[in-house]
Amino acid sequence: TASSASSGLLNLRIDGETKTINDLNAQSTAWDQRLAIRQRTLQAQFTAMETALSQAQSLQSQLSGQFAALSQ
């Protein structure tokens, strides 16, 4: 009957939209995971950069002191 056909089409549409929602949720979760990994990588690189900068500044200070002592 027409009512059964309409109901069947509606159920197919609902199933299709549910699958789309599930796919989008899975994609969102995957992006969240990739972004978390990228964030950890960038934080580690930034920490390494800060450490290297601190070491360079310390070396600069030591060298400046040695040059100052030599010029006296």
Side-chain angles (χ1 to χ4, degrees):
T1 65
S3 178
S4 296
S6 295
S7 178
L9 289 175
L10 184 58
N11 285 334
L12 285 175
R13 178 72 188 269
I14 290 170
D15 290 346
E17 296 300 328
T18 300
K19 182 184 180 320
T20 299
I21 290 169
N22 291 337
D23 289 345
L24 290 171
N25 284 333
Q27 289 176 27
S28 176
T29 298
W31 269 108
D32 286 344
Q33 292 169 347
R34 286 193 292 271
L35 289 172
I37 291 167
R38 183 67 175 143
Q39 181 181 15
R40 286 193 299 271
T41 300
L42 290 172
Q43 285 175 328
Q45 289 174 343
F46 185 80
T47 299
M49 179 198 65
E50 284 188 316
T51 301
L53 179 60
S54 177
Q55 291 170 347
Q57 288 172 333
S58 177
L59 180 59
Q60 177 192 14
S61 179
Q62 291 172 6
L63 291 173
S64 293
Q66 290 176 0
F67 286 133
L70 287 174
S71 65
Q72 290 180 358

